[in-house]
């Protein structure tokens, strides 16, 4: 048999079963569409970033640090300026802003620029139209449009920042480096550097982000040489140039793409399972044809080639349809994230994504069709000619030998899926092979556990239903009894449908449960004394007055605590320089100055894990206590010797103790606590965490803003609103992709119904012949579909709860609480989806007239 002959037979059989295979094509298209859409958008977004890198960065080079430059760095700036390199300075921080029209101050993101220089590329658009150099005086600000209704002001009105009054000169329509900002909490304001100095927000020790933009002269073409000089002077800075995409954005994009690609692969696997079930059902109906071909000399491998070509054609048809769907998905993504990334990648084909979709769609489909295709070898002509529809069960060694081919097929499926997942991870993000192999292994392991659990669950529940029918045969209404019995019809792929729909429900519900639990954990006020209001940027002379004001404030719950803080830079650990010891990983953060405090006694809510707290101390022989997490990263124990730079002088301290502090307390950010006296003569800022009645927070904010305008009061509820917005947007994207798996599962149900169409027609004819009405038959089918959907939803929700518990407990260190409502909603919605899909797929069957079938028409 030639390949041409095999192709003709495969094509002829596919055309004869076109109605049934439409569902299979749609199932594959769902997975391919999700995958190509995600990766196509990611590539388009990356291309846009690279193409418009200068505009999105507002310069040729960008250096981001969180501390002021030292003498060596200032000398480098002067040297670059002498060579014709222009520089502009951007400072970003947060503060409170108020107006006379609104009693409640608002937390805002502050961005200070040099209007005469910023931006080097692109343009800041204001409304009314104007230039920054004309509008941004030392008494003027431009604000984001969402600030106007919150402060009940309009352009031209006055607002207060840091106790100083400013006039709103316009709203910011767009700014080129919006995505490159460091602090994006709350509404944004744009002002000049002179205006920021006038506000008094910049104080010694204030936490703010400094971003330096550089524009190279035409004669300097080698950006790498300038970048190398900056990297040497700013070893801990984030440095980017116009020859690359923004590192922070692309790093997040890579992670999101990897995760969504693997979720899309789940949808594709569900679609491949659909092809496998459809091919299995198709082969059951074609057993006569297979027997005849074998009887006239056809070999098993020749027949396998026919149906392999048929499966490949279905996979390619589904992949092509998926590519079209993927283009729609690619265009939908910018709408989902438009609030945070107000850009739209150019519409064009990415051949890499197209090739990936075709290869992954074809390969995953062929992998899952291996088991039914290999089953062709066991079809014997004499059994078919005797019309024994069900194969005889093998015994003894024959059964063991029969397990060899399925075991090999299963191993090939696992290796193939692992290879696909690894390739997808490496193909876009450029991760090294070790990371990609590890991710691929985790993916296959998790998928195997999920499928095995769902399969075992499906097997168990179906047998429980069968037992119920046997035990309560008389008590159950005939409609319910027949509907349950339909799940065991010969050729019915109930278990495959349950696994497919269950996978989709599991992934979608897991995303929701994890998101909901994490946000609920943040929002809950446990323990009862957890601060819900924080005050930052408090100077030393303001601290006593603020403490008194807090003690007298209405609604205060518990004792307020004002904590001093200063900066100390770790130089060496046990004689080893930090810059040499921590070049990569989480230890890199210790190369920068860290917030630290001092205390003579053990702070409240602090437990000593190792060592002992100082009972007495000597200012000439300072000591330090280190938090448990910092000690693990630094690899130190009590007795270790740390060297510091504090206010320009070197300080050596032995480690006296390792401690643990409740993370929700006011001192949560401190990793180092010194003995008193270390920070004498060094600028000190204070911050405070207090708990207040929710109804009194707004009044407290107003009072404190009037008395201490430069102090920032952060209401945790406001921050949670921002967190909720971001997480909701992320969850929408993940659920959008996860929904493709549910869609594919529903299509598999329709495919299963179409595959057993002839058996269902016979059943309908028999029931109608003995007097059953169309309504009764419809009710039987509806019971079957509702049970399939409800059981799938139940299995998916149970596994989603288990996976959520595992993720929250083991990875996110968060509390898991079982929520009945989303689980019930998942079960009900899945049952309705299954019922709707089954009804549409079987409507033609229900319209069949008995006489047409009995006459063989």
């Amino acid at each position: 048999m030639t390949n041409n002959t095999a192709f003709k037979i495969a094509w002829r059989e596919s055309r004869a079963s076109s109605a049934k295979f439409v569902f299979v094509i749609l199932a594959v298209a769902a997975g391919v569409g999700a995958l190509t859409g995600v990766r196509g958008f990611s590539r388009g977004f990356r291309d846009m970033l690279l193409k418009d890198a200068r505009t999105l960065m507002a310069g040729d080079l960008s250096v981001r640090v969180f501390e002021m430059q030292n003498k060596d760095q200032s000398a480098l700036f002067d040297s670059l300026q002498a060579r014709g390199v222009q520089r502009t300075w951007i400072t970003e921080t947060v503060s409170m802003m108020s107006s006379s029209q609104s009693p409640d101050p608002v937390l805002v993101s502050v961005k200070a620029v040099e209007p005469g220089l910023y931006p080097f590329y692109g343009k800041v658009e204001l409304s009314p139209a104007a230039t920054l150099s004309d509008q941004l005086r030392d008494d003027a600000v431009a604000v984001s449009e969402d600030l106007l209704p919150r402060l009940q002001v309009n352009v031209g009105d006055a607002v207060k920042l840091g106790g100083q009054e400013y006039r709103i000169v316009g709203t910011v329509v767009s700014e080129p480096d919006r995505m490159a900002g460091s602090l994006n909490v709350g509404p944004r304001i744009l002002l000049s550097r002179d205006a920021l100095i006038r506000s008094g927000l910049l104080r010694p020790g204030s936490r703010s982000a400094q971003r330096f933009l550089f524009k190279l002269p035409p004669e300097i073409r080698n950006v790498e040489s300038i970048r190398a000089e900056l990297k040497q002077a700013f070893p801990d800075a984030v440095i980017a140039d116009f020859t690359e995409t923004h590192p922070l954005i692309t790093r997040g994009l890579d992670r999101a793409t990897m995760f969504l690609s693997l979720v899309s692969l789940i949808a594709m696997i569900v679609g491949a399972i659909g092809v496998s079930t459809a091919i299995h059902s198709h082969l059951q109906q074609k057993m006569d044809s297979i027997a005849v071909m074998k009887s006239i000399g056809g070999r098993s491998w020749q027949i396998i080639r026919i149906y392999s070509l048929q499966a490949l054609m279905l996979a390619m048809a589904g992949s092509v349809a998926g590519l079209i769907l993927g283009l729609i998905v690619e265009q939908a993504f910018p709408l989902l994230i438009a609030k945070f990334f107000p850009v739209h990648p150019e519409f064009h084909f990415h051949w890499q994504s197209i090739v990936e979709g075709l290869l992954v769609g074809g390969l995953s489909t062929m992998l899952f069709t291996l088991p039914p295709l290999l089953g062709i070898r066991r079809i014997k002509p004499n059994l078919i000619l005797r019309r024994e529809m069900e194969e005889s069960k093998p015994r003894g060694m024959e059964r063991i030998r029969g397990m060899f081919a399925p075991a090999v097929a299963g191993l090939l499926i696992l290796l193939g899926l692992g290879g696909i997942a690894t390739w997808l991870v490496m193909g876009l993000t450029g991760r090294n092979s070790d990371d990609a192999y590890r991710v691929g292994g985790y993916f296959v392991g998790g998928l195997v556990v999920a499928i095995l659990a769902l399969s075992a669950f499906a097997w168990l529940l179906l047998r429980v239903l069968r037992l119920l029918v046997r035990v309560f045969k008389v008590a159950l209404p005939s409609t319910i009894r027949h509907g349950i019995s339909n799940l065991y019809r010969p050729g019915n792929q109930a278990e495959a449908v349950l696994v497919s729909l269950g996978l989709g429900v599991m992934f979608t519900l897991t995303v929701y449960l994890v998101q909901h639990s994490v946000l609920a954990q943040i929002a809950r006020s446990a323990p009862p004394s957890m601060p819900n209001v924080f005050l930052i940027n408090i100077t030393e002379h303001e601290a006593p007055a603020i403490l008194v004001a807090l003690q007298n404030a209405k609604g205060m719950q518990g004792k307020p605590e004002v904590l001093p803080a200063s900066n100390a830079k770790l130089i060496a650990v046990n004689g080893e320089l930090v810059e040499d010891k921590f070049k990569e990983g989480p230890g890199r953060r210790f190369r920068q100055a860290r917030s630290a405090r001092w205390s003579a006694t053990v702070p409240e809510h602090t437990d000593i894990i190792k060592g002992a707290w100082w009972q007495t101390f000597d200012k000439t022989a300072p000591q330090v206590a280190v938090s448990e997490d910092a000690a693990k990263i630094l690899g130190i124990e009590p007795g270790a010797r740390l060297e510091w730079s504090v206010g320009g002088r070197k300080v050596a301290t032995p480690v006296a103790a390792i401690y643990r502090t409740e993370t929700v307390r006011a001192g949560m950010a401190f990793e180092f606590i010194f003995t008193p006296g270390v920070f004498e003569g060094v600028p000190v800022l204070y911050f405070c965490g207090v708990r207040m009645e929710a109804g009194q927070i707004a009044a407290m904010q107003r009072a404190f803003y009037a008395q201490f305008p430069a102090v920032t009061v952060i209401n945790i509820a406001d921050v949670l609103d921002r967190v909720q917005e971001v997480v909701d947007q992320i969850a929408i994207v993940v659920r959008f992709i996860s929904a493709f798996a549910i869609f594919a599962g529903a299509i598999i149900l329709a495919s299963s119904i179409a595959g057993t169409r002839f058996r269902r027609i016979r059943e309908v004819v028999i029931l109608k012949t003995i007097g059953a009405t169309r309504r009764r038959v419809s009710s039987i089918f509806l019971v079957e579909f509702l049970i399939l959907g409800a059981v799938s939803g139940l299995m998916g929700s149970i596994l989603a709860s288990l996976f959520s518990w595992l993720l929250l407990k083991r990875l996110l260190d968060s509390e898991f609480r079982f929520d009945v409502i989303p689980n019930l909603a998942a079960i009900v919605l899945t049952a309705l989806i299954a019922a709707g899909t089954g009804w549409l797929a079987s409507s033609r069957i229900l319209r069949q007239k008995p006489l047409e079938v009995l006459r063989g028409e």
Side-chain angles (χ1 to χ4, degrees):
M1 182 187 297
T2 64
N3 288 329
N4 188 40
T5 303
F7 178 79
K8 287 181 179 179
I9 297 174
W11 175 253
R12 185 170 60 249
E13 288 201 358
S14 298
R15 290 182 59 189
S17 305
S18 57
K20 173 176 62 180
F21 287 145
V22 164
F23 296 110
V24 176
I25 292 172
L26 289 175
V28 176
V32 175
L35 182 69
T36 55
V38 168
R39 298 175 79 79
F41 170 77
S42 180
R43 286 192 169 95
F45 198 92
R46 191 185 305 272
D47 292 345
M48 181 215 65
L49 291 176
L50 187 59
K51 177 184 176 182
D52 300 326
R54 277 190 172 99
T55 301
L56 293 171
M57 193 184 299
D60 292 320
L61 271 163
S62 170
V63 175
R64 182 201 311 276
V65 292
F66 289 91
E67 54 188 14
M68 303 300 291
Q69 66 268 26
N70 56 35
K71 293 182 180 179
D72 294 336
Q73 294 163 347
S74 298
L76 175 61
F77 286 165
D78 294 338
S79 173
L80 292 175
Q81 187 175 2
R83 284 178 271 172
V85 177
Q86 298 183 61
R87 182 185 82 255
T88 186
W89 181 10
I90 298 172
T91 298
E92 294 167 310
T93 186
V94 294
S95 186
M96 307 297 292
M97 177 171 276
S98 69
S99 71
S100 57
Q101 292 88 335
S102 173
D104 299 324
V106 174
L107 181 69
V108 295
S109 296
V110 180
K111 179 177 179 181
V113 300
E114 297 173 303
L117 295 172
Y118 169 85
F120 288 133
Y121 299 98
K123 181 182 179 182
V124 176
E125 294 184 21
L126 300 178
S127 178
T131 62
L132 291 182
S133 56
D134 290 338
Q135 296 292 337
L136 290 191
R137 306 299 183 185
D138 62 357
D139 62 346
V141 294
V143 303
S144 60
E145 191 172 0
D146 57 342
L147 181 65
L148 301 181
R150 296 192 66 175
L151 288 180
Q152 301 176 24
V153 293
N154 296 304
V155 174
D157 291 343
V159 291
K160 281 189 175 183
L161 177 71
Q164 300 296 320
E165 194 169 274
Y166 296 84
R167 182 173 56 89
I168 299 176
V169 294
T171 59
V172 180
V173 178
S174 68
E175 51 186 310
D177 57 339
R178 171 71 173 87
M179 290 185 297
S182 305
L183 302 168
N184 295 312
V185 177
R188 294 169 59 79
I189 68 167
L190 198 64
L191 72 169
S192 67
R193 179 157 299 279
D194 291 337
L196 179 63
I197 294 173
R198 176 173 170 263
S199 71
L201 296 178
L202 289 184
R203 303 176 175 186
S206 293
R207 301 297 292 177
S208 59
Q210 313 299 329
R211 187 151 48 95
F212 299 96
L213 302 179
F214 300 87
K215 183 178 181 181
L216 307 184
E219 58 269 21
I220 298 181
R221 298 182 178 180
N222 185 10
V223 68
E224 284 300 324
S225 62
I226 304 297
R227 178 170 180 157
E229 292 183 60
L230 290 168
K231 186 62 180 176
Q232 185 176 2
F234 295 89
D236 301 321
V238 176
I239 301 178
D241 63 65
F242 70 89
T243 63
E244 64 178 358
T245 57
H246 193 284
L248 295 178
I249 298 172
T250 52
R251 195 177 301 125
L253 183 65
D254 288 344
R255 290 172 181 154
T257 302
M258 180 187 70
F259 175 71
L260 292 176
S261 295
L262 296 179
V263 174
S264 302
L265 185 57
I266 294 291
M268 189 168 299
I269 290 170
V270 173
I273 294 174
V275 177
S276 177
T277 57
I279 292 295
H280 176 78
S281 175
H282 184 61
L283 291 176
Q284 291 292 315
Q285 296 178 25
K286 294 296 180 181
M287 293 177 87
D288 286 0
S289 301
I290 295 171
V292 170
M293 285 189 282
K294 284 192 173 184
S295 298
I296 61 177
R299 309 298 294 269
S300 292
W301 65 268
Q302 293 175 321
I303 301 172
I304 289 175
R305 179 169 40 165
I306 293 172
Y307 291 102
S308 296
L309 286 171
Q310 192 174 69
L312 186 60
M313 285 190 292
L314 292 174
M316 289 299 101
S319 297
V320 171
L323 293 177
I324 299 173
L325 179 61
L327 293 175
I328 299 174
V329 173
E330 183 177 343
Q331 298 305 301
F333 265 104
L335 301 177
L336 294 174
I337 62 172
K339 184 171 183 178
F340 301 98
F341 297 95
V343 294
H344 199 299
E346 293 182 3
F347 179 83
H348 61 276
F349 291 97
H350 295 91
W351 65 266
Q352 303 100 317
S353 301
I354 293 174
V355 171
E356 285 172 350
L358 291 174
L359 289 179
V360 176
L363 183 57
S364 61
T365 300
M366 295 309 297
L367 285 171
F368 278 89
T369 53
L370 274 177
L373 291 175
L374 292 175
I376 291 175
R377 300 178 306 110
R378 298 194 302 270
I379 297 177
K380 297 179 181 180
N382 61 335
L383 294 177
I384 301 302
L385 296 175
R386 289 173 187 168
R387 297 294 182 185
E388 294 181 6
M389 296 302 293
E390 295 187 7
E391 298 183 32
S392 302
K393 293 184 179 180
R395 298 180 179 179
M397 292 301 297
E398 185 180 356
R399 177 180 295 181
I400 295 175
R401 287 193 297 270
M403 293 172 62
F404 178 75
V408 172
L411 181 61
L412 288 175
I413 289 173
L414 293 181
L415 291 175
L417 292 178
I420 291 172
T422 302
W423 178 53
L424 289 177
V425 173
M426 295 177 63
L428 187 70
T429 63
R431 287 174 175 259
N432 62 58
S433 57
D434 291 339
D435 287 343
Y437 289 137
R438 184 168 60 253
V439 172
Y442 287 154
F443 175 80
V444 171
L447 186 65
V448 168
V449 170
I451 290 179
L452 288 178
L454 285 168
S455 299
F457 211 172
W459 180 88
L460 178 63
L461 285 174
L462 288 175
R463 274 145 188 81
V464 169
L465 289 174
R466 175 180 287 182
L467 181 62
L468 288 175
V469 170
R470 290 178 179 175
V471 174
F472 301 101
K473 187 174 183 179
V474 178
L476 286 175
S478 60
T479 301
I480 296 177
R481 190 170 64 251
H482 280 296
I484 296 176
S485 299
N486 277 356
L487 299 173
Y488 306 100
R489 180 190 293 104
N492 197 341
Q493 302 296 317
E495 289 191 20
V497 172
L498 289 171
V499 171
S500 304
L501 271 176
L503 273 177
V505 174
M506 182 189 72
F507 276 93
T508 306
L509 188 57
T510 298
V511 171
Y512 173 83
L513 291 176
V514 171
Q515 172 210 5
H516 183 70
S517 295
V518 170
L519 287 175
Q521 179 74 7
I522 295 173
R524 275 195 298 269
S525 59
S529 57
M530 171 185 171
N532 57 2
V533 178
F534 289 91
L535 294 83
I536 62 176
N537 215 27
I538 305 171
T539 61
E540 192 166 2
H541 78 272
E542 290 173 329
I546 285 179
L547 184 58
V548 172
L550 286 173
Q551 291 171 343
N552 296 328
K554 291 183 179 180
M556 184 65 60
Q557 297 176 336
K559 180 182 177 182
E561 185 180 11
V562 179
L563 301 177
S566 191
N567 290 334
K569 185 171 183 179
L570 185 60
I571 299 175
V573 177
N574 290 326
E576 186 176 1
L577 293 177
V578 171
E579 292 188 357
D580 297 332
K581 184 178 177 66
F582 300 107
K583 294 183 178 180
E584 296 180 354
R588 279 181 55 88
R589 72 172 187 259
F590 294 105
R591 299 173 61 172
Q592 300 177 355
R594 310 297 298 169
S595 292
R597 59 168 295 197
W598 58 92
S599 178
T601 58
V602 180
E604 191 178 1
H605 309 299
T606 299
D607 297 324
I608 305 303
I609 306 301
K610 296 179 182 179
W613 200 268
W614 43 84
Q615 300 299 320
T616 60
F617 55 88
D618 184 355
K619 292 184 178 181
T620 61
Q623 302 177 66
V624 68
V626 183
S627 71
E628 185 181 22
D629 290 338
K632 287 180 181 179
I633 297 173
L634 295 172
I636 58 176
E637 297 285 341
R641 188 171 181 82
L642 307 182
E643 296 179 31
W644 306 84
S645 174
V646 179
R649 67 178 189 273
K650 289 187 177 181
V651 177
T653 60
V655 176
I658 308 296
Y659 66 89
R660 179 189 299 152
T661 303
E662 293 182 25
T663 56
V664 295
R665 299 298 174 183
M668 61 183 177
F670 292 122
E671 295 170 310
F672 306 101
I673 302 177
F674 289 83
T675 53
V678 174
F679 295 95
E680 287 184 358
V682 178
V684 175
L685 284 179
Y686 291 74
F687 84 98
C688 178
V690 298
R691 181 162 187 83
M692 300 192 67
E693 295 177 6
Q696 298 295 331
I697 294 177
M700 185 272 257
Q701 284 183 299
R702 290 193 296 269
F704 271 64
Y705 187 75
Q707 189 176 356
F708 311 102
V711 173
T712 301
V713 180
I714 302 175
N715 184 353
I716 291 297
D718 290 341
V719 177
L720 286 178
D721 287 342
R722 304 298 172 190
V723 174
Q724 180 75 61
E725 288 180 11
V726 175
V727 174
D728 282 348
Q729 292 295 111
I730 296 171
I732 286 173
V733 174
V734 178
R735 289 176 197 162
F736 178 70
I737 297 301
S738 300
F740 278 84
I742 296 179
F743 176 64
I747 292 173
I748 289 174
L749 172 61
S751 175
S752 174
I753 295 168
T756 57
R757 176 173 175 267
F758 294 106
R759 289 189 175 95
R760 289 180 180 271
I761 288 176
R762 294 191 189 100
E763 178 186 347
V764 170
V765 167
I766 292 172
L767 291 172
K768 286 186 175 181
T769 302
I770 62 177
T773 62
R774 180 176 176 180
R775 181 177 180 181
R776 169 61 68 88
V777 178
S778 301
S779 300
I780 291 173
F781 281 7
L782 184 62
V783 169
E784 177 187 355
F785 303 144
L786 284 174
I787 290 175
L788 277 175
V791 171
S792 299
L794 177 63
M795 294 190 306
S797 63
I798 291 175
L799 286 178
S801 296
L802 291 175
F803 274 108
S804 301
W805 173 83
L806 185 64
L807 289 171
L808 291 168
K809 285 289 186 182
R810 301 295 181 184
L811 298 181
L812 302 177
D813 193 24
S814 184
E815 182 181 352
F816 172 78
R817 290 189 177 184
F818 180 75
D819 196 343
V820 177
I821 294 178
N823 284 276
L824 286 178
I827 295 172
V828 173
L829 288 175
T830 310
L832 293 177
I833 290 172
T837 304
W839 183 266
L840 290 174
S842 59
S843 58
R844 183 182 175 188
I845 297 172
L846 293 171
R847 290 197 302 267
Q848 286 283 349
K849 296 180 179 180
L851 194 59
E852 293 177 353
V853 179
L854 294 175
R855 286 177 174 177
E857 296 179 2

